[in-house]
Amino acid sequence: MFRELNLLGNKAEFPAWLGRIPSQIGIPAGGSLSADEWKTLALVFGPLALPVVWDDWIDAAADEVKKATDKVEAKRRRLKKQHDRVVRQWEQSVSASQHTMEEPPPRPETPELPPAPEEESPRLKRGEMKLFLKLSAALTVLLARTVRIQDLELAHQRLLEYLQEYAELYGAKAVKPNFHWATHLFEQILDYGPVYGFWAFLQERLNFIIKSFRTNNHGNGELEVTMMRSYSALTSLRNILSSVLATSPNAPAADGMEKQVLKEVVDRLLADPLARGTWGSTAQSTEASPNVNIAYLLGHQRSPERLKPELATAVLHHINSQPAFFSNPILRASNPDAVLGRIFSNLVTPADYMILDGRKITAMDAKRGPKKATIIQARWRIADTERICVGELLKIFTASQAEDPLAVVQWLKPTNCHPLREDIWAEYRDVLDIKVWEFQVFTDDANQVPPAVIPLSKIVSQAARITVRKAKGSSEKLWLTIGLDKHGTRV
């Protein structure tokens, strides 16, 4: 089971900012998971992959218990036959001795019967995947950057239901004190805001880093002393350089370059998180992303290039749909394609990436090395219904005739097939935005997906994708995606 789960994780397509997926989940050699890995497992990879793997193995777990029970019962029947045969032979000997007036033989030892098999608990239980998804849905809201009161109330209800059903499923002995402490999160979020303002993730991450250090048998405080000495040395160096820079105000002009270099060194040291110690460097690596407070930004733009004819045609159709185009009565009276064909320039300026809600989304044509897909979600109105569609972001660019930056997307094709025998995701799709798609099939059907070229502002988030089997035992495949909305609600 864990081998299948880890194979899905190794082939999953996740954004780089999400962090790595543990490669040996459930295997002792993989070690314990960090807090960040538990978060990814509970909110993203787990809701996608665990129900599929569980669906494959739940019957095998029940069969395993049945086989174990049948084995014990067979052994009991075999020993019972031996017991009955020995007792029967002894009784016949006793009966014969009464007729011959001989002393009856002693009662022989009989095989001891094993105890009747108790009802064994299977390794996988019916209903535990629904229970896991209930926890995941609650955590998605609790760990969001923006929390709405109505979402918080539903998440609170789901967490309480999870705790109660967990005790019923696994027994009261499996309940830990952390379960009670988790129920106070809701009051704390109401008092202090989202958990990122008061949680202990930074301290836990620091503990994880310190525990991973190799001490080479130099324990008993040597590690702490070494860290303190390094921090003290860096602090002293900063103080010395600052003092040198502040002295000799009337230094000759020849010293100007040296002072400039010293100033640059001091500025860099002051800005370097390593110079502030392990705590500062840990905060830099976990929370202080330079993009964290940027809602929307177009990234670095490359040299202009010309679009291929089919892509230029798609851009023409997009410009035709803009209200500003039809505000001109001369253009409105003309054939739009004919007019734009004469005035449109297919020279565009591509961009490497965009930043959305503090997260960097890189177009596939700007990636170096292996071209992993960039999966995005976009909001689009189709047949008077607003839908969330998922596709691969191929290109980002600006065109002089377009009002907004544009994105080129190849859209995944929806399917009515389902990898689970029961759609246990349906109840939690208000926050777990999981969708099923045909494997390696894209579509341009206007009744299902947006056009190939859309305004960049229509993109609402990235998505994660894994490849699963179409049905249990089938060699055919499907794609599963889950939205990675930063604010914890379905976009």
Side-chain angles (χ1 to χ4, degrees), residues 11 27 54 61 65 97 111 170 218 238 336 344 347 429-430 457:
K11 297 179 181 178
I27 299 175
W54 182 87
V65 172
S97 66
Y170 298 105
H218 292 279
R238 288 199 305 163
F344 174 69
L347 192 67
R429 280 203 171 94
D430 56 328
S457 58

Side-chain angles (χ1 to χ4, degrees), residues 255-266:
D255 295 340
M257 181 61 69
E258 182 180 353
K259 290 183 64 177
Q260 183 178 350
V261 172
L262 283 174
K263 184 177 186 305
E264 181 69 21
V265 171
V266 172

Side-chain angles (χ1 to χ4, degrees), residues 327-384:
S327 63
N328 188 315
I330 297 177
L331 296 180
R332 187 171 61 244
S334 308
N335 183 322
D337 287 333
V339 173
L340 279 175
R342 293 193 298 271
I343 67 174
F344 174 69
S345 169
N346 66 349
L347 192 67
V348 300
T349 304
D352 289 343
Y353 62 90
M354 67 177 293
I355 295 175
L356 180 64
D357 282 335
R359 294 169 173 175
K360 187 177 180 180
I361 305 177
T362 304
M364 291 176 62
D365 73 330
K367 291 186 175 181
R368 310 293 186 266
K371 295 296 183 71
K372 291 187 177 181
T374 299
I375 318 298
I376 57 95
Q377 294 195 129
R379 181 183 287 110
W380 199 262
R381 183 168 291 277
I382 301 174
D384 296 329

Side-chain angles (χ1 to χ4, degrees), residues 92-105:
Q92 291 174 355
S93 300
V94 170
S95 177
S97 66
Q98 291 176 351
H99 294 288
T100 58
M101 304 299 292
E102 296 178 358
E103 185 177 352

